[in-house]
Amino acid sequence: MSDIHIRIEGRAGRITLTREKALNALSYDMCLAIDAALRDWATDDSVALVILDAAGDKAFCAGGDIAELYETGTKGDFAYGRNFWRDEYRMNARIFEYPKPVVSFLQGFTMGGGVGIGCHGTHRIVCESSKISMPECGIGLVPDVGGSLLLALAPGRLGEYLGTTGHRMGAADAILAGFADHFIPQAQWPGLIADLQRTGDLNLLAQMAETPPEGQLEAMRAEIDACFAGETLADILTVLTARDDAFARSTLKTLSRHAPLSLACTVEMVHRLRATNTTMRRALDLEYRFTHRAMEQGDLLEGVRALIIDKDKSPKWQYAEAPVPAVAVSQMLMPLGPDALTFEEEE
């Protein structure tokens, strides 16, 4: 497949995203190819570790390819999207639960679906250009591909902030929030990958790690924790409105561009996952409840239309003029019954 290069080199299973002109956006076929390779290598004794990387300097993976989702969804065909998300989430779980080390190299943009590939392995490497984010609320989705689990596990209220605003994290911020492990300058990556392939020695990663350039989130922690401690989206918006300082005004401006239903569900999802002894599978199950309904009941099609297809940047969101009712959140996140996400051994 021209969009992805899968092979074994030395002791490493290698997966390189090669869809450079599309910022390595993840297609359905790429998702299935990654899952098949991981399945094969899990019991292959010649593969000691898996290395995930991508061509080009601009992006590891800027998200999922949503053009096909939009085209099918606008015709009333919701099955394509539901199947894509189901199989993608199973692949995300496979990376998170993989029996061998998974090392990912995350240059440039790692957004949405890219987080699902690159941020669930055992060793996640960032560099000077890394920009990691979960921007789904901007198109009427919620942070998915297992990203909701990372948000729930982030320190303080960073999860609510990152999930609702889509804030782009540099290297230091990604490490602080739990989306990455080591900062290694990108110029050193080719030699490091060659050494990993030859030796399989994961100690090389910590040995080569450096202190990243200063990030933004650490200095913002107190404000984020104060503003995003509310039980619901409405509580958060009330606090931000009352503060009327530079941070609050900037944050409110960002949130005003995003889908209210998605924002409210994101806050609820992070709280539910944080309140339990949660697992990746529980997070993916909760995400799938929303994405399964996102085209039919949510704002996804309108969000994609406004931001990506027509590019008028004027989406007509549900609940744009009034608070999101609690029942609307419950309806998006209620169990799917026979349509619920399943994993191999459950089927």
Side-chain angles (χ1 to χ4, degrees):
M1 186 191 306
S2 60
D3 291 340
I4 191 167
H5 185 201
I6 297 173
R7 72 276 189 203
I8 296 174
E9 293 185 352
R11 303 190 64 192
R14 295 290 311 276
I15 299 175
T16 301
L17 308 183
T18 56
R19 200 180 179 199
E20 186 178 347
K21 290 183 179 179
L23 299 180
N24 296 311
L26 184 70
S27 69
Y28 196 177
D29 286 342
M30 292 164 70
C31 169
L32 295 176
I34 293 170
D35 197 56
L38 293 173
R39 195 189 304 253
D40 290 343
W41 293 339
T43 55
D44 185 339
D45 292 340
S46 71
V47 176
L49 73 162
V50 175
I51 297 175
L52 294 165
D53 66 351
D57 293 324
K58 291 184 178 179
F60 168 74
C61 175
D65 186 348
I66 54 181
E68 191 72 19
L69 291 174
Y70 181 80
E71 187 174 335
T72 54
T74 51
K75 295 174 181 174
D77 173 11
F78 306 124
Y80 175 86
R82 290 166 177 172
N83 290 337
F84 187 159
W85 283 309
R86 182 196 65 216
D87 291 334
E88 182 180 18
Y89 294 0
R90 289 171 173 172
M91 180 265 289
N92 301 143
R94 192 179 305 281
I95 294 173
F96 187 84
E97 299 170 353
Y98 207 59
K100 299 179 181 183
V102 177
V103 186
S104 53
F105 290 84
L106 311 174
Q107 81 277 18
F109 292 111
T110 299
M111 302 164 69
V115 168
I117 309 169
C119 296
H120 296 323
T122 54
H123 301 75
R124 304 157 299 173
I125 312 304
V126 285
C127 66
E128 308 92 320
S129 69
S130 298
K131 299 181 185 70
I132 299 178
S133 64
M134 299 297 296
E136 288 83 357
C137 288
I139 59 167
L141 269 180
V142 291
D144 65 335
V145 297
S148 64
L149 178 63
L150 298 178
L151 295 174
L153 296 174
R157 299 291 177 167
L158 288 182
E160 288 91 333
Y161 175 76
L162 295 169
T164 55
T165 64
H167 175 87
R168 290 178 179 174
M169 296 177 278
D173 290 344
I175 293 170
L176 171 65
F179 283 70
D181 300 298
H182 299 299
F183 172 80
I184 300 175
Q186 190 174 358
Q188 299 180 31
W189 288 8
L192 174 57
I193 291 173
D195 289 342
L196 287 172
Q197 289 177 178
R198 188 181 74 255
T199 66
D201 183 5
L202 295 164
N203 292 319
L204 294 169
L205 299 169
Q207 291 168 11
M208 296 185 69
E210 300 180 11
T211 301
E214 187 176 357
Q216 298 177 302
L217 288 181
E218 187 61 60
M220 298 163 60
R221 282 280 304 276
E223 290 176 308
I224 290 171
D225 288 351
C227 293
F228 282 80
E231 188 64 28
T232 65
L233 173 65
D235 296 333
I236 292 169
L237 294 176
T238 297
V239 172
L240 287 168
T241 302
R243 280 177 64 112
D244 193 32
D245 56 27
F247 171 79
R249 287 192 294 272
S250 173
T251 303
L252 281 169
K253 184 177 180 180
T254 298
L255 296 179
S256 71
R257 294 194 291 263
H258 296 172
L261 180 61
S262 295
L263 294 171
C265 288
T266 297
V267 172
E268 175 65 17
M269 289 166 62
V270 170
H271 290 180
R272 287 192 195 184
L273 293 170
R274 188 184 290 141
T276 62
N277 182 19
T278 198
T279 64
M280 176 57 76
R281 293 189 179 196
R282 175 166 159 71
L284 291 165
D285 170 74
L286 191 56
E287 294 168 2
Y288 190 65
R289 296 179 189 183
F290 186 100
T291 54
H292 188 275
R293 300 177 171 109
M295 287 191 281
E296 194 171 12
Q297 296 169 239
D299 293 295
L300 176 61
L301 295 178
E302 173 62 7
V304 174
R305 180 207 63 75
L307 277 80
I308 295 167
I309 306 300
D310 297 340
K311 298 183 180 178
D312 58 38
K313 297 186 178 180
S314 299
K316 305 296 188 290
W317 301 128
Q318 297 180 72
Y319 312 111
E321 306 298 331
V324 180
V327 66
V329 176
S330 298
Q331 286 172 345
M332 292 301 290
L333 298 179
M334 64 192 296
L336 288 166
D339 293 323
L341 179 66
T342 58
F343 301 90
E344 286 174 2
E345 57 268 35
E346 299 173 1
E347 296 177 331

